[in-house]
Amino acid sequence: MAQISLRNEADEVRQSSGLASIAADLSSDQRAFKNVSWGKAMMWIFLLSDTFVFSCFLISYMTARMSTTEPWPNPSEVFALEIGGTSFPLLLIAIMTFVLISSSGTMAMAVNYGYRRERVTAAVLMLATAVLGAAFVGMQAFEWTKLIHEGVRPWENPWGAPQFGSSFFMITGFHGTHVTFGVIFLIAIARKVLRGDFDTGRRGFFTSRKGNYESVEIMGLYWHFVDLVWVFIFAFFYLW
Amino acid sequence: MTHVATHDDAQHPIRLYFVVWGWLFVLSTCSYLVDYFHLQGHLRYSLILLFMMLKAGLIVAVFMHMAWERLTLVYAILLPIGAVLVFVAIMVLESDYTLLSRTLHPGLP
């Protein structure tokens, strides 16, 4: 990577000693995250801001659930799926969880193959990630349809506290939107990888700049974040 | 880690990702079983939180490469999340107060 050439020995010494290295980085000239590219640093900062957005949704859900005097609908029963007369609690949600985790696995491998410059493998793995992501959104659409048919609305539901519906639609809807945008960007980056843009130095349509395989890693950061958010939604909304 | 500064993703063997993937499957199954076996009370909540934190840690550390990232970036991203915990504490107190008011004065909105 190009950033490596920017390092020098003093840099290395600073890095080796914990908090002192952080103080040195932050008090140094021009750039704090020395060998981290601006693209990666900005994606992380965006993800931090997105963490706050999702935190606000989950905290407002917590506040609604803790402060209501009406019983909260039991998610284990609400999200149960009936197959052949037997009712499985949270079955669809469990499948969605496994699908999203698998998509994270394929994404992590796509990043790895990208840096190995095996562009076809990387692109295929990214497209597999996109397919799994689309499957996730499809299952979520199925779940929404099922709940709406059962009478769940943002202002009421048949089982208890009316805030259940608004929390559910807000949290899963915002997450599903993230997955959808992730799928779109995955396809866009996979196309660039497959065409060999990052090998030939072809300039981007919007940016007119040459890209590199770090784009795959930055795309991966976003995708893993979407998976990460689902871990928290699964724990706090579905299991709690 | 010795290769902190010279991080190059190609150094990680693919096997690492399969191992983490497998662990994420195991942990997800465990958290699903918490619900399946109808565990209740403190055991349920502590297990849910435990499996959640382990999964989140694996995703952030390995899949998002945080374990090999420059320390300054790690702290810049992870420390602010502590503010979320403060917010949670504030809203727990607020919710308790709201619930108390609603219980003591049932007629009021």
Side-chain angles (χ1 to χ4, degrees):
Chain A
M1 280 186 288
Q3 289 81 26
I4 289 169
S5 60
L6 295 175
R7 290 189 306 109
N8 53 44
E9 266 177 71
D11 206 19
E12 193 117 35
V13 172
R14 277 204 301 270
Q15 185 144 32
S16 58
S17 55
L19 284 175
S21 75
I22 296 172
D25 275 1
L26 294 179
S27 59
S28 68
D29 200 17
Q30 292 186 8
R31 45 189 287 190
F33 307 126
K34 298 299 177 192
N35 60 348
V36 183
S37 73
W38 63 268
K40 193 197 268 185
M42 289 316 290
M43 178 51 90
W44 268 114
I45 289 165
F46 164 71
L47 293 181
L48 178 64
S49 71
D50 227 15
T51 305
F52 288 139
V53 174
F54 276 107
S55 298
C56 287
F57 288 157
L58 284 170
I59 289 172
S60 57
Y61 150 70
M62 177 196 78
T63 308
R65 186 165 169 173
M66 280 184 76
S67 62
T68 179
T69 48
E70 292 177 59
W72 196 260
N74 183 356
S76 188
E77 289 161 18
V78 172
F79 300 105
L81 207 63
E82 206 166 287
I83 296 174
T86 336
S87 176
F88 292 93
L90 289 180
L91 184 62
L92 185 67
I93 312 301
I95 296 170
M96 285 164 77
T97 304
F98 288 124
V99 166
L100 211 55
I101 285 174
S102 300
S103 78
S104 253
T106 51
M107 186 70 231
M109 286 193 266
V111 174
N112 200 287
Y113 279 108
Y115 281 131
R116 287 165 202 252
R117 300 191 169 267
E118 293 181 33
R119 62 186 171 86
V120 178
T121 318
V124 167
L125 282 165
M126 286 184 87
L127 289 174
T129 310
V131 168
L132 289 166
F136 178 89
V137 177
M139 284 187 274
Q140 196 164 58
F142 171 81
E143 192 197 9
W144 274 46
T145 314
K146 183 171 166 282
L147 258 67
I148 291 169
H149 277 302
E150 286 170 351
V152 181
R153 299 289 182 275
W155 55 88
E156 65 176 4
N157 66 73
W159 311 292
Q163 295 96 329
F164 174 82
S166 44
S167 304
F168 172 78
F169 288 123
M170 191 74 205
I171 293 171
T172 62
F174 206 71
H175 179 261
T177 309
H178 274 74
V179 179
T180 309
F181 278 105
V183 169
I184 293 168
F185 278 99
L186 272 170
I187 294 170
I189 306 279
R191 178 166 170 263
K192 280 170 174 280
V193 171
L194 200 60
R195 199 165 54 185
D197 285 16
F198 302 142
D199 295 315
T200 58
R202 180 178 170 139
R203 290 174 184 277
F205 178 75
F206 285 116
T207 58
S208 304
R209 300 163 71 124
K210 292 173 186 169
N212 58 55
Y213 279 103
E214 199 180 32
S215 292
V216 183
E217 185 181 1
I218 293 170
M219 178 68 239
L221 283 179
Y222 177 83
W223 191 260
H224 296 309
F225 175 77
V226 167
D227 185 26
L228 184 67
V229 170
W230 184 254
V231 169
F232 289 90
I233 296 176
F234 183 60
F236 289 130
F237 196 86
Y238 292 101
L239 290 178
W240 206 258
Chain B
M1 290 291 161
T2 47
H3 60 286
V4 170
T6 55
H7 171 60
D8 185 349
D9 193 76
Q11 289 175 352
H12 304 304
I14 287 292
R15 193 177 154 270
L16 173 71
Y17 297 109
F18 275 111
V19 170
V20 172
W21 194 349
W23 271 109
L24 289 173
F25 259 76
V26 171
L27 290 168
S28 295
T29 311
C30 288
S31 46
Y32 177 69
L33 290 178
V34 168
D35 189 65
Y36 192 82
F37 290 125
H38 301 294
L39 299 181
Q40 296 300 333
H42 288 300
L43 181 66
R44 180 189 183 92
Y45 300 129
S46 44
L47 282 179
I48 289 174
L49 288 178
L50 175 72
F51 295 139
M52 179 190 85
M53 292 315 292
L54 288 175
K55 278 165 73 178
L58 278 178
I59 293 172
V60 173
V62 181
F63 279 179
M64 299 174 94
H65 301 149
M66 197 59 125
W68 302 281
E69 214 55 84
R70 195 178 184 84
L71 206 54
T72 311
L73 182 70
V74 175
Y75 275 71
I77 299 301
L78 293 186
L79 281 185
I81 294 175
V84 172
L85 298 177
V86 177
F87 196 8
V88 170
I90 293 172
M91 292 318 288
V92 165
L93 295 174
E94 174 73 14
S95 311
D96 282 344
Y97 171 70
T98 311
L99 182 63
L100 181 70
S101 317
R102 284 174 175 166
T103 319
L104 290 179
H105 312 286
L108 294 175

